[in-house]
Amino acid sequence: CMANLEALWADVADDDAVDVRAAGGRAVCEGCARPASACLCDRLPARPVDTRGALVVLTHPNESKRALNTGWILPRCMRRCEIVRGRYPPQHLQDRMAGTAPDVPMYLLYPSTSATNLDEVSVADDAAAIVSASTGQGSLDPDDVLAGAAYVCVCIDSTWGQAREMAVPTLEKMPARTRLIQLPLTSTDDDGGDGDDGGSRVDAPGLRRFSEGDRGAGSLLTAPAPGAMLTAEAAARAVAMLESTCAG
């Protein structure tokens, strides 16, 4: 169920037992190779869910060394998901994306002023628009996670600073039909607002902000800008929205 993807991060973030900062020297989980006190295995689906589209997690080479890395969660949750390491898509990934059927929409998930909000994106409409101008057939190994995908979405797994450096070269190395997309921002007006701007500040869905005395277990990092959030949360929400717009 795609609702499970969108609900995943809320479920994980509300688990007060998760505190990576207090995990040093503890027993290590055999399932995820993380300290037991930071293990999320019992919060993940028993089986990865099936999706119409494919998710590629482009992970910065240094990201796997970070205790707060969340990209590893995604292949445990989605069957058609792959982690690829690099500062931009390596040649083998470029070749595989080029080998997809020409009517398969391509997306890069990254918050930007030039990105299209996901609530304005339709996989079915994008596929219909592409097919009218496309020729040729796809040429992928049947076992490739991209083979037969209704769409391909690439998300960047890195620090926010690294993501800014990776976004442009990544987009340049993806097929020309790639669209830059982002999660829609949500206004804090519904919460009454607490700033001098009368509540017009916007946060990405699910984003937590630290307050005085609230830096204990379970808290998430403060994002540097609206729309920035942890990889697992952003990707799960994005895939859920894309899946809801697939044809049929």
Side-chain angles (χ1 to χ4, degrees):
C1 176
M2 290 312 302
N4 290 339
L5 290 175
E6 192 168 356
L8 170 64
W9 187 256
D11 188 32
V12 170
D14 287 339
D15 184 1
D16 291 336
V18 178
D19 184 0
V20 295
R21 286 162 293 187
R26 305 284 182 87
V28 174
C29 170
E30 294 182 0
C32 63
R34 279 167 166 70
S37 60
C39 173
L40 300 176
C41 290
D42 64 344
R43 314 295 293 183
L44 303 180
R47 294 182 178 179
V49 299
D50 291 317
T51 56
R52 299 281 302 278
L55 176 68
V56 176
V57 184
L58 183 63
T59 301
H60 189 279
N62 295 331
E63 184 66 10
S64 60
K65 305 173 186 176
R66 299 180 65 247
L68 292 174
N69 167 259
T70 63
W72 65 273
I73 294 174
L74 294 163
R76 298 276 298 271
C77 299
M78 288 174 262
R79 191 178 309 280
R80 199 188 285 268
C81 177
E82 178 181 354
I83 293 178
V84 176
R85 287 179 172 81
R87 289 177 171 83
Y88 52 80
Q91 190 62 52
H92 75 85
L93 178 58
Q94 296 180 48
D95 293 342
R96 291 163 57 206
M97 289 190 292
T100 59
D103 60 343
V104 174
M106 295 274 174
Y107 303 105
L108 173 61
L109 178 65
Y110 180 76
S112 166
T113 55
S114 58
T116 302
N117 283 347
L118 268 162
D119 55 4
E120 301 173 7
V121 173
S122 167
V123 172
D125 289 348
D126 286 347
I130 295 170
V131 72
S132 62
S134 64
T135 59
Q137 299 292 325
S139 56
L140 287 174
D141 186 295
D143 294 329
D144 194 307
V145 297
L146 305 188
Y151 63 86
V152 175
C153 179
V154 174
C155 71
I156 296 174
D157 183 26
S158 67
T159 65
W160 289 305
Q162 291 166 345
R164 284 191 288 269
E165 297 173 356
M166 294 169 64
V168 171
T170 295
L171 186 60
E172 290 175 345
K173 294 182 182 300
M174 292 182 66
R177 63 183 184 273
T178 301
R179 295 185 66 183
L180 190 62
I181 58 174
Q182 66 181 0
L183 290 166
L185 302 178
T186 56
S187 173
T188 58
D189 286 340
D190 293 341
D191 298 328
D194 57 5
D196 296 334
D197 55 4
S200 61
R201 189 193 72 199
V202 290
D203 286 342
L207 185 65
R208 289 186 176 184
R209 293 182 177 272
F210 286 129
S211 59
E212 290 298 323
D214 184 31
R215 294 179 180 265
S219 294
L220 305 184
L221 294 176
T222 302
M229 64 176 68
L230 300 184
T231 304
E233 179 180 16
R237 292 179 181 275
V239 170
M241 295 184 74
L242 289 171
E243 290 287 309
S244 70
T245 67
C246 289

